[in-house]
Amino acid sequence: ARGIQHTSVRQAHRKYEPNFHDKYGNMVLVGGALAFTAVWAYVLTQAGMEWGLSPVGRVTPKEWKE
């Protein structure tokens, strides 16, 4: 138990060192948001999708073949 107390006291007096998330967290978040936006902008504008999802007026019956 004494060893745990000494370790916790030593760590409490240690200076705070920034970790990876403190250093690069915001840059990684912004980079991911930009990549996400770029991909969806391409998909929505260039993929050639037809956005009228309702089949009303487009579906016509075919002639019956016997």
Side-chain angles (χ1 to χ4, degrees), residues 30-46:
V30 169
L34 286 174
F36 177 86
T37 304
V39 167
W40 276 106
Y42 174 79
V43 167
L44 293 175
T45 59
Q46 302 296 320

Side-chain angles (χ1 to χ4, degrees), residues 38-61:
V39 167
W40 276 106
Y42 174 79
V43 167
L44 293 175
T45 59
Q46 302 296 320
M49 292 179 165
E50 193 171 314
W51 291 103
L53 300 178
S54 174
V56 175
R58 278 191 272 154
V59 177
T60 56

Side-chain angles (χ1 to χ4, degrees), residues 4-27:
I4 294 172
Q5 287 176 344
H6 287 293
T7 302
S8 64
V9 168
R10 267 187 268 139
Q11 288 178 351
H13 292 291
R14 197 169 60 172
K15 286 187 175 181
Y16 177 74
E17 297 174 7
N19 60 17
F20 178 85
H21 298 289
D22 294 331
K23 289 181 181 179
Y24 306 110
N26 288 336
M27 289 191 301

